[in-house]
Amino acid sequence: EVQLVESGGGLVQPGGSLKLSCAGSGFTFSWYSMTWVRQAPGKGPEWVSAISGGGTTTYADFVKGRFTISRDNAKNTVYLQINNLELNDTGVYYCAKDVGNWRWSYDVWGQGTQVTVSS
């Protein structure tokens, strides 16, 4: 079974940091780009970042250098490091598996991990 499981979310104060993880199973992890998408309360999904199987990265403009995507293909895991968290970073963060490398179409999604930024 192809599966993605996110972890690492939580409650953090503004200015804090979190590192989200997404563990994949049931497929050859290194063959596929992976992406992070978030959804704030009452809003639609917002693309955050993506990384190719070989480690090339791309980010949404709003990231402003605060987010870093990375992957460890030996551990079948993609990460999202978020620094200097802001209130509007609150939401559910999902990882997704691309159907290939930079195909920008996603066939598997994780269950999401909640990030809450609050003082």
Side-chain angles (χ1 to χ4, degrees):
E1 179 187 7
V2 178
Q3 191 174 13
L4 297 173
V5 178
E6 299 100 332
S7 61
L11 173 63
V12 63
Q13 292 185 340
S17 297
L18 282 175
K19 188 172 185 177
L20 310 182
S21 299
C22 170
S25 60
F27 63 101
T28 306
F29 189 78
S30 63
W31 287 6
Y32 301 93
S33 299
M34 299 292 294
T35 201
W36 286 96
V37 172
R38 71 182 186 182
Q39 187 163 18
K43 296 187 177 182
E46 180 177 41
W47 176 78
V48 175
S49 181
I51 185 168
S52 72
T56 301
T57 61
T58 185
Y59 298 93
D61 289 343
F62 72 81
V63 164
K64 299 177 185 176
R66 298 187 297 118
F67 292 35
T68 303
I69 191 171
S70 61
R71 67 192 295 161
D72 185 336
N73 288 335
K75 295 183 178 180
N76 290 349
T77 301
V78 60
Y79 305 97
L80 186 68
Q81 174 74 44
I82 312 174
N83 297 326
N84 195 20
L85 276 152
E86 302 172 353
L87 294 175
N88 58 10
D89 291 322
T90 294
V92 180
Y93 285 68
Y94 300 91
C95 66
K97 170 189 165 293
D98 199 311
V99 299
N101 211 24
W102 294 133
R103 294 286 300 277
W104 303 102
S105 177
Y106 309 107
D107 59 352
V108 182
W109 293 80
Q111 83 289 352
T113 187
Q114 176 71 46
V115 172
T116 302
V117 184
S118 175
S119 55

